[in-house]
């Protein structure tokens, strides 16, 4: 049993049969979050069901982006949740060199060897972890069929990757991302 199993809010978050008494919302565990585009994307935001946005030479799909000469990949930043054996995942955009971009594309389409990863720069800010400059990172190959993984070298997000995130700070992060689930977990 994990330490978090003692927290009623944690149990409510993982109880698929439970409905929030105020609104009926149901949960089935941790909520992963995806940024739809790099912060630098200057065009309209994607909408559900729109597989690709094309604006002149710029392109945005759920996994790939091109803005002018810049190339971006969507990758996963994973954080262990302290007191549990679970991870929460954030799909963030990483600027990469064209060589890395096309190596990933070739691997994904079967036209090249497996993606080996590469250097990049984190191009989305998680609330509370904003940076004036893009954060350098390393992309690691993901499991078969998964996005690459983000590994940060230093800074507060790198510390979270190493040490994990507490449940209350995770709930605060969800709220800052626009989904405050705290009231829905408060009581039966």
């Amino acid at each position: 049993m994990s330490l978090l199993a003692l927290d009623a809010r944690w149990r409510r978050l993982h109880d698929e049969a439970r409905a929030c008494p105020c609104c009926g919302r149901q949960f089935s565990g941790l909520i992963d979050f995806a940024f739809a585009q790099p912060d630098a994307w200057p065009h309209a935001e994607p909408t559900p069901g729109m597989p690709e946005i094309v604006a002149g030479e710029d392109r945005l799909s759920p996994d790939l982006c091109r803005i002018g000469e810049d190339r971006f990949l969507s990758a996963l930043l994973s954080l262990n949740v302290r007191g549990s054996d679970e991870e929460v995942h954030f799909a963030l955009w990483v600027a990469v060199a064209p060589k890395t971009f096309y190596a990933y594309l070739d691997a994904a389409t079967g036209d090249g060897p497996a993606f080996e990863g590469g250097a990049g720069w984190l191009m989305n800010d998680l609330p509370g972890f904003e940076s004036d400059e893009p954060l350098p990172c390393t992309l690691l190959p993901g499991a078969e069929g998964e996005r690459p993984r983000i590994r940060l070298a230093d800074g507060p997000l790198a510390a979270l990757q190493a040490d994990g995130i507490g449940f209350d700070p995770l709930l605060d992060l969800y709220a800052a991302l626009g989904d405050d689930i705290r009231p829905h977990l408060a009581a039966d």
Side-chain angles (χ1 to χ4, degrees), residues 77-130:
L77 175 75
S78 300
L79 303 174
N80 292 319
V81 179
R82 290 194 303 263
S84 80
D85 58 356
E86 296 185 48
E87 288 183 324
V88 62
H89 307 284
F90 298 92
L92 306 172
W93 290 89
V94 176
V96 296
K99 179 179 177 180
T100 303
F101 181 87
Y102 290 111
Y104 175 79
L105 190 58
D106 287 346
T109 59
D111 291 337
F115 181 65
E116 294 181 6
W121 298 267
L122 195 60
M123 299 305 292
N124 297 110
D125 282 330
L126 284 176
F129 300 95
E130 292 85 357

Short mmCIF file of all heavy atoms in Angstrom, two decimals, residues 77-130:
data_model
loop_
_atom_site.label_atom_id
_atom_site.label_comp_id
_atom_site.label_asym_id
_atom_site.label_seq_id
_atom_site.Cartn_x
_atom_site.Cartn_y
_atom_site.Cartn_z
N LEU A 77 7.36 14.93 -20.34
CA LEU A 77 8.04 15.21 -19.08
C LEU A 77 7.27 14.42 -18.03
O LEU A 77 6.09 14.67 -17.79
CB LEU A 77 8.01 16.70 -18.75
CG LEU A 77 8.59 17.09 -17.40
CD1 LEU A 77 10.11 17.01 -17.44
CD2 LEU A 77 8.15 18.48 -17.00
N SER A 78 7.93 13.45 -17.42
CA SER A 78 7.28 12.58 -16.43
C SER A 78 7.79 12.90 -15.05
O SER A 78 8.99 13.11 -14.86
CB SER A 78 7.56 11.10 -16.76
OG SER A 78 7.06 10.79 -18.04
N LEU A 79 6.88 12.93 -14.09
CA LEU A 79 7.22 13.19 -12.70
C LEU A 79 6.64 12.09 -11.82
O LEU A 79 5.44 11.79 -11.92
CB LEU A 79 6.64 14.54 -12.24
CG LEU A 79 7.04 15.78 -13.03
CD1 LEU A 79 6.27 16.99 -12.52
CD2 LEU A 79 8.54 16.01 -12.94
N ASN A 80 7.48 11.49 -11.00
CA ASN A 80 6.98 10.55 -10.00
C ASN A 80 6.15 11.32 -8.99
O ASN A 80 6.50 12.44 -8.62
CB ASN A 80 8.14 9.86 -9.29
CG ASN A 80 8.91 8.93 -10.20
OD1 ASN A 80 8.32 8.22 -10.99
ND2 ASN A 80 10.22 8.96 -10.09
N VAL A 81 5.06 10.71 -8.53
CA VAL A 81 4.26 11.31 -7.48
C VAL A 81 4.72 10.69 -6.17
O VAL A 81 4.59 9.47 -5.97
CB VAL A 81 2.75 11.08 -7.71
CG1 VAL A 81 1.93 11.71 -6.59
CG2 VAL A 81 2.33 11.66 -9.06
N ARG A 82 5.31 11.53 -5.33
CA ARG A 82 5.85 11.04 -4.05
C ARG A 82 4.76 10.35 -3.23
O ARG A 82 3.64 10.82 -3.17
CB ARG A 82 6.47 12.18 -3.25
CG ARG A 82 7.76 12.69 -3.86
CD ARG A 82 8.55 13.58 -2.92
NE ARG A 82 7.82 14.72 -2.42
CZ ARG A 82 7.90 15.95 -2.93
NH1 ARG A 82 8.68 16.19 -3.95
NH2 ARG A 82 7.21 16.93 -2.39
N GLY A 83 5.14 9.25 -2.60
CA GLY A 83 4.21 8.50 -1.78
C GLY A 83 3.40 7.49 -2.56
O GLY A 83 2.53 6.82 -2.01
N SER A 84 3.68 7.36 -3.87
CA SER A 84 2.97 6.39 -4.71
C SER A 84 3.98 5.76 -5.67
O SER A 84 5.14 6.14 -5.71
CB SER A 84 1.85 7.07 -5.51
OG SER A 84 2.36 7.73 -6.65
N ASP A 85 3.50 4.83 -6.46
CA ASP A 85 4.34 4.25 -7.50
C ASP A 85 3.89 4.71 -8.88
O ASP A 85 4.14 4.06 -9.88
CB ASP A 85 4.34 2.72 -7.41
CG ASP A 85 2.94 2.13 -7.54
OD1 ASP A 85 1.96 2.91 -7.62
OD2 ASP A 85 2.81 0.89 -7.55
N GLU A 86 3.24 5.87 -8.94
CA GLU A 86 2.69 6.40 -10.19
C GLU A 86 3.46 7.62 -10.68
O GLU A 86 4.12 8.30 -9.90
CB GLU A 86 1.22 6.78 -10.00
CG GLU A 86 0.34 5.59 -9.69
CD GLU A 86 -1.12 5.97 -9.64
OE1 GLU A 86 -1.60 6.67 -10.57
OE2 GLU A 86 -1.79 5.59 -8.67
N GLU A 87 3.33 7.85 -11.98
CA GLU A 87 3.90 9.04 -12.62
C GLU A 87 2.78 9.84 -13.26
O GLU A 87 1.80 9.28 -13.74
CB GLU A 87 4.87 8.65 -13.74
CG GLU A 87 6.17 8.07 -13.32
CD GLU A 87 7.06 7.81 -14.54
OE1 GLU A 87 6.55 7.42 -15.61
OE2 GLU A 87 8.28 7.98 -14.39
N VAL A 88 2.98 11.15 -13.30
CA VAL A 88 2.11 12.03 -14.06
C VAL A 88 2.93 12.51 -15.25
O VAL A 88 4.15 12.70 -15.14
CB VAL A 88 1.57 13.20 -13.19
CG1 VAL A 88 2.69 14.08 -12.69
CG2 VAL A 88 0.53 14.00 -13.95
N HIS A 89 2.28 12.67 -16.39
CA HIS A 89 2.99 13.01 -17.63
C HIS A 89 2.46 14.33 -18.19
O HIS A 89 1.25 14.57 -18.21
CB HIS A 89 2.80 11.91 -18.67
CG HIS A 89 3.15 10.55 -18.16
ND1 HIS A 89 4.45 10.13 -18.02
CD2 HIS A 89 2.38 9.54 -17.72
CE1 HIS A 89 4.46 8.91 -17.54
NE2 HIS A 89 3.21 8.52 -17.34
N PHE A 90 3.39 15.14 -18.67
CA PHE A 90 3.07 16.39 -19.32
C PHE A 90 3.68 16.35 -20.72
O PHE A 90 4.89 16.20 -20.86
CB PHE A 90 3.63 17.59 -18.53
CG PHE A 90 3.05 17.70 -17.16
CD1 PHE A 90 3.67 17.09 -16.08
CD2 PHE A 90 1.87 18.39 -16.95
CE1 PHE A 90 3.12 17.17 -14.81
CE2 PHE A 90 1.32 18.47 -15.68
CZ PHE A 90 1.94 17.86 -14.61
N ALA A 91 2.83 16.47 -21.74
CA ALA A 91 3.32 16.53 -23.12
C ALA A 91 3.67 17.99 -23.41
O ALA A 91 2.79 18.84 -23.45
CB ALA A 91 2.29 16.00 -24.10
N LEU A 92 4.95 18.24 -23.56
CA LEU A 92 5.47 19.59 -23.79
C LEU A 92 6.22 19.60 -25.11
O LEU A 92 6.61 18.57 -25.64
CB LEU A 92 6.42 19.99 -22.65
CG LEU A 92 5.85 19.89 -21.23
CD1 LEU A 92 6.95 20.11 -20.20
CD2 LEU A 92 4.73 20.88 -21.03
N TRP A 93 6.44 20.78 -25.63
CA TRP A 93 7.14 20.93 -26.90
C TRP A 93 8.61 21.24 -26.67
O TRP A 93 8.95 22.02 -25.78
CB TRP A 93 6.48 22.02 -27.74
CG TRP A 93 5.14 21.58 -28.23
CD1 TRP A 93 3.94 21.73 -27.60
CD2 TRP A 93 4.87 20.88 -29.43
NE1 TRP A 93 2.95 21.17 -28.34
CE2 TRP A 93 3.48 20.64 -29.48
CE3 TRP A 93 5.66 20.42 -30.49
CZ2 TRP A 93 2.87 19.96 -30.53
CZ3 TRP A 93 5.04 19.75 -31.54
CH2 TRP A 93 3.67 19.53 -31.56
N VAL A 94 9.43 20.63 -27.51
CA VAL A 94 10.88 20.79 -27.42
C VAL A 94 11.39 21.23 -28.79
O VAL A 94 11.08 20.60 -29.81
CB VAL A 94 11.56 19.47 -27.01
CG1 VAL A 94 13.07 19.61 -27.01
CG2 VAL A 94 11.06 19.03 -25.63
N ALA A 95 12.14 22.34 -28.82
CA ALA A 95 12.79 22.78 -30.06
C ALA A 95 14.02 21.90 -30.26
O ALA A 95 14.78 21.66 -29.32
CB ALA A 95 13.20 24.25 -29.96
N VAL A 96 14.19 21.42 -31.48
CA VAL A 96 15.31 20.54 -31.79
C VAL A 96 15.97 20.97 -33.09
O VAL A 96 15.37 21.68 -33.91
CB VAL A 96 14.86 19.06 -31.91
CG1 VAL A 96 14.33 18.53 -30.58
CG2 VAL A 96 13.82 18.88 -33.01
N ALA A 97 17.19 20.52 -33.27
CA ALA A 97 17.90 20.77 -34.53
C ALA A 97 17.20 19.99 -35.65
O ALA A 97 16.60 18.94 -35.40
CB ALA A 97 19.35 20.31 -34.40
N PRO A 98 17.28 20.49 -36.89
CA PRO A 98 16.65 19.77 -38.00
C PRO A 98 17.09 18.31 -38.09
O PRO A 98 16.27 17.42 -38.37
CB PRO A 98 17.08 20.57 -39.24
CG PRO A 98 17.26 21.96 -38.71
CD PRO A 98 17.83 21.78 -37.33
N LYS A 99 18.34 18.02 -37.81
CA LYS A 99 18.84 16.64 -37.88
C LYS A 99 18.08 15.75 -36.90
O LYS A 99 17.67 14.63 -37.25
CB LYS A 99 20.34 16.61 -37.56
CG LYS A 99 20.94 15.25 -37.59
CD LYS A 99 22.42 15.30 -37.28
CE LYS A 99 23.00 13.88 -37.24
NZ LYS A 99 24.41 13.86 -36.95
N THR A 100 17.84 16.24 -35.69
CA THR A 100 17.09 15.47 -34.69
C THR A 100 15.63 15.32 -35.11
O THR A 100 15.04 14.24 -35.00
CB THR A 100 17.19 16.16 -33.32
OG1 THR A 100 18.56 16.29 -32.96
CG2 THR A 100 16.44 15.39 -32.25
N PHE A 101 15.05 16.40 -35.62
CA PHE A 101 13.65 16.38 -36.07
C PHE A 101 13.45 15.32 -37.15
O PHE A 101 12.54 14.49 -37.07
CB PHE A 101 13.28 17.77 -36.61
CG PHE A 101 11.86 17.90 -37.09
CD1 PHE A 101 10.85 18.23 -36.20
CD2 PHE A 101 11.55 17.71 -38.42
CE1 PHE A 101 9.53 18.38 -36.64
CE2 PHE A 101 10.24 17.85 -38.88
CZ PHE A 101 9.23 18.18 -37.98
N TYR A 102 14.32 15.33 -38.16
CA TYR A 102 14.14 14.40 -39.27
C TYR A 102 14.52 12.97 -38.89
O TYR A 102 13.94 12.02 -39.42
CB TYR A 102 14.90 14.90 -40.50
CG TYR A 102 14.21 16.13 -41.07
CD1 TYR A 102 14.81 17.38 -41.00
CD2 TYR A 102 12.93 16.04 -41.62
CE1 TYR A 102 14.16 18.52 -41.47
CE2 TYR A 102 12.28 17.17 -42.09
CZ TYR A 102 12.90 18.40 -42.02
OH TYR A 102 12.26 19.51 -42.49
N ALA A 103 15.43 12.80 -37.94
CA ALA A 103 15.73 11.45 -37.43
C ALA A 103 14.50 10.89 -36.73
O ALA A 103 14.16 9.70 -36.90
CB ALA A 103 16.93 11.48 -36.49
N TYR A 104 13.81 11.72 -35.95
CA TYR A 104 12.58 11.28 -35.30
C TYR A 104 11.50 10.95 -36.33
O TYR A 104 10.85 9.91 -36.25
CB TYR A 104 12.07 12.35 -34.34
CG TYR A 104 10.74 12.00 -33.73
CD1 TYR A 104 10.67 11.10 -32.67
CD2 TYR A 104 9.56 12.54 -34.23
CE1 TYR A 104 9.44 10.75 -32.12
CE2 TYR A 104 8.33 12.19 -33.68
CZ TYR A 104 8.28 11.31 -32.63
OH TYR A 104 7.07 10.96 -32.10
N LEU A 105 11.33 11.82 -37.31
CA LEU A 105 10.32 11.61 -38.34
C LEU A 105 10.61 10.34 -39.13
O LEU A 105 9.71 9.53 -39.39
CB LEU A 105 10.28 12.84 -39.27
CG LEU A 105 9.15 12.91 -40.27
CD1 LEU A 105 7.80 12.87 -39.59
CD2 LEU A 105 9.28 14.16 -41.12
N ASP A 106 11.87 10.11 -39.51
CA ASP A 106 12.24 8.90 -40.24
C ASP A 106 11.96 7.65 -39.41
O ASP A 106 11.45 6.65 -39.93
CB ASP A 106 13.71 8.94 -40.66
CG ASP A 106 13.97 9.93 -41.79
OD1 ASP A 106 13.00 10.38 -42.44
OD2 ASP A 106 15.15 10.24 -42.03
N ALA A 107 12.29 7.69 -38.13
CA ALA A 107 12.04 6.54 -37.26
C ALA A 107 10.53 6.29 -37.12
O ALA A 107 10.08 5.14 -37.16
CB ALA A 107 12.68 6.75 -35.90
N ALA A 108 9.76 7.36 -36.97
CA ALA A 108 8.32 7.23 -36.77
C ALA A 108 7.61 6.68 -38.00
O ALA A 108 6.61 5.97 -37.88
CB ALA A 108 7.72 8.58 -36.38
N THR A 109 8.13 6.99 -39.18
CA THR A 109 7.51 6.51 -40.42
C THR A 109 8.11 5.21 -40.92
O THR A 109 7.69 4.69 -41.95
CB THR A 109 7.63 7.58 -41.52
OG1 THR A 109 9.01 7.86 -41.75
CG2 THR A 109 6.88 8.85 -41.14
N GLY A 110 9.12 4.69 -40.21
CA GLY A 110 9.77 3.45 -40.62
C GLY A 110 10.79 3.62 -41.72
O GLY A 110 11.27 2.64 -42.29
N ASP A 111 11.14 4.88 -42.03
CA ASP A 111 12.11 5.14 -43.10
C ASP A 111 13.53 5.27 -42.60
O ASP A 111 14.42 5.62 -43.37
CB ASP A 111 11.73 6.44 -43.84
CG ASP A 111 10.45 6.29 -44.64
OD1 ASP A 111 10.10 5.14 -44.99
OD2 ASP A 111 9.80 7.32 -44.90
N GLY A 112 13.75 5.00 -41.32
CA GLY A 112 15.09 5.13 -40.76
C GLY A 112 15.24 4.29 -39.52
O GLY A 112 14.29 3.64 -39.07
N PRO A 113 16.43 4.33 -38.92
CA PRO A 113 16.65 3.54 -37.70
C PRO A 113 15.87 4.12 -36.52
O PRO A 113 15.30 5.20 -36.61
CB PRO A 113 18.17 3.68 -37.47
CG PRO A 113 18.54 4.95 -38.15
CD PRO A 113 17.61 5.09 -39.33
N ALA A 114 15.86 3.38 -35.43
CA ALA A 114 15.17 3.82 -34.22
C ALA A 114 15.70 5.19 -33.80
O ALA A 114 16.89 5.49 -33.95
CB ALA A 114 15.36 2.80 -33.11
N PHE A 115 14.81 6.00 -33.25
CA PHE A 115 15.19 7.33 -32.79
C PHE A 115 16.12 7.20 -31.60
O PHE A 115 15.82 6.50 -30.63
CB PHE A 115 13.93 8.12 -32.42
CG PHE A 115 14.19 9.53 -31.95
CD1 PHE A 115 14.73 10.47 -32.80
CD2 PHE A 115 13.88 9.90 -30.65
CE1 PHE A 115 14.96 11.77 -32.37
CE2 PHE A 115 14.10 11.19 -30.21
CZ PHE A 115 14.65 12.13 -31.07
N GLU A 116 17.24 7.89 -31.66
CA GLU A 116 18.24 7.81 -30.60
C GLU A 116 18.17 8.97 -29.62
O GLU A 116 18.87 8.98 -28.62
CB GLU A 116 19.65 7.73 -31.21
CG GLU A 116 19.88 6.46 -31.99
CD GLU A 116 21.28 6.37 -32.56
OE1 GLU A 116 22.12 7.24 -32.26
OE2 GLU A 116 21.52 5.43 -33.33
N GLY A 117 17.35 9.96 -29.89
CA GLY A 117 17.25 11.12 -29.02
C GLY A 117 18.13 12.26 -29.50
O GLY A 117 18.65 12.24 -30.62
N GLY A 118 18.30 13.25 -28.65
CA GLY A 118 19.13 14.39 -29.01
C GLY A 118 18.90 15.55 -28.06
O GLY A 118 18.09 15.48 -27.14
N ALA A 119 19.62 16.61 -28.30
CA ALA A 119 19.52 17.82 -27.47
C ALA A 119 18.34 18.66 -27.92
O ALA A 119 17.92 18.62 -29.07
CB ALA A 119 20.81 18.63 -27.58
N GLY A 120 17.81 19.44 -26.99
CA GLY A 120 16.70 20.32 -27.32
C GLY A 120 16.54 21.40 -26.28
O GLY A 120 17.35 21.53 -25.34
N TRP A 121 15.47 22.19 -26.44
CA TRP A 121 15.16 23.29 -25.54
C TRP A 121 13.66 23.24 -25.27
O TRP A 121 12.85 23.26 -26.20
CB TRP A 121 15.53 24.63 -26.17
CG TRP A 121 17.00 24.72 -26.42
CD1 TRP A 121 17.95 25.24 -25.60
CD2 TRP A 121 17.68 24.26 -27.59
NE1 TRP A 121 19.19 25.11 -26.18
CE2 TRP A 121 19.06 24.51 -27.40
CE3 TRP A 121 17.28 23.62 -28.77
CZ2 TRP A 121 20.02 24.17 -28.34
CZ3 TRP A 121 18.23 23.27 -29.70
CH2 TRP A 121 19.59 23.56 -29.48
N LEU A 122 13.31 23.20 -24.00
CA LEU A 122 11.91 23.14 -23.60
C LEU A 122 11.21 24.43 -24.03
O LEU A 122 11.67 25.53 -23.72
CB LEU A 122 11.82 22.95 -22.09
CG LEU A 122 10.49 22.52 -21.52
CD1 LEU A 122 10.06 21.19 -22.09
CD2 LEU A 122 10.59 22.44 -20.00
N MET A 123 10.07 24.31 -24.71
CA MET A 123 9.40 25.46 -25.30
C MET A 123 8.01 25.75 -24.72
O MET A 123 7.24 26.50 -25.31
CB MET A 123 9.29 25.27 -26.81
CG MET A 123 10.64 25.15 -27.50
SD MET A 123 11.78 26.52 -27.17
CE MET A 123 10.95 27.85 -28.00
N ASN A 124 7.70 25.14 -23.57
CA ASN A 124 6.48 25.48 -22.82
C ASN A 124 6.87 25.68 -21.37
O ASN A 124 7.77 25.02 -20.87
CB ASN A 124 5.43 24.36 -22.88
CG ASN A 124 4.94 24.09 -24.27
OD1 ASN A 124 5.23 23.04 -24.84
ND2 ASN A 124 4.16 25.00 -24.83
N ASP A 125 6.18 26.59 -20.72
CA ASP A 125 6.38 26.82 -19.29
C ASP A 125 5.25 26.19 -18.51
O ASP A 125 4.08 26.47 -18.77
CB ASP A 125 6.40 28.32 -18.97
CG ASP A 125 7.71 28.99 -19.32
OD1 ASP A 125 8.76 28.32 -19.26
OD2 ASP A 125 7.69 30.20 -19.63
N LEU A 126 5.59 25.34 -17.55
CA LEU A 126 4.59 24.88 -16.60
C LEU A 126 4.39 26.00 -15.59
O LEU A 126 5.37 26.62 -15.16
CB LEU A 126 5.05 23.62 -15.89
CG LEU A 126 4.98 22.32 -16.68
CD1 LEU A 126 5.55 21.17 -15.86
CD2 LEU A 126 3.54 22.01 -17.07
N PRO A 127 3.16 26.29 -15.18
CA PRO A 127 2.93 27.35 -14.19
C PRO A 127 3.74 27.09 -12.92
O PRO A 127 3.81 25.98 -12.42
CB PRO A 127 1.43 27.25 -13.90
CG PRO A 127 0.85 26.61 -15.13
CD PRO A 127 1.90 25.66 -15.62
N GLY A 128 4.38 28.15 -12.46
CA GLY A 128 5.24 28.05 -11.29
C GLY A 128 6.68 27.70 -11.63
O GLY A 128 7.55 27.73 -10.77
N PHE A 129 6.93 27.38 -12.88
CA PHE A 129 8.28 27.01 -13.33
C PHE A 129 8.66 27.80 -14.58
O PHE A 129 9.40 27.31 -15.43
CB PHE A 129 8.35 25.50 -13.61
CG PHE A 129 8.04 24.67 -12.40
CD1 PHE A 129 6.74 24.20 -12.20
CD2 PHE A 129 9.00 24.40 -11.46
CE1 PHE A 129 6.44 23.46 -11.07
CE2 PHE A 129 8.71 23.66 -10.33
CZ PHE A 129 7.42 23.19 -10.14
N GLU A 130 8.16 29.02 -14.67
CA GLU A 130 8.42 29.84 -15.84
C GLU A 130 9.91 30.20 -15.90
O GLU A 130 10.59 30.28 -14.89
CB GLU A 130 7.59 31.13 -15.79
CG GLU A 130 6.10 30.91 -15.94
CD GLU A 130 5.37 30.57 -14.65
OE1 GLU A 130 6.04 30.44 -13.60
OE2 GLU A 130 4.14 30.40 -14.70
#
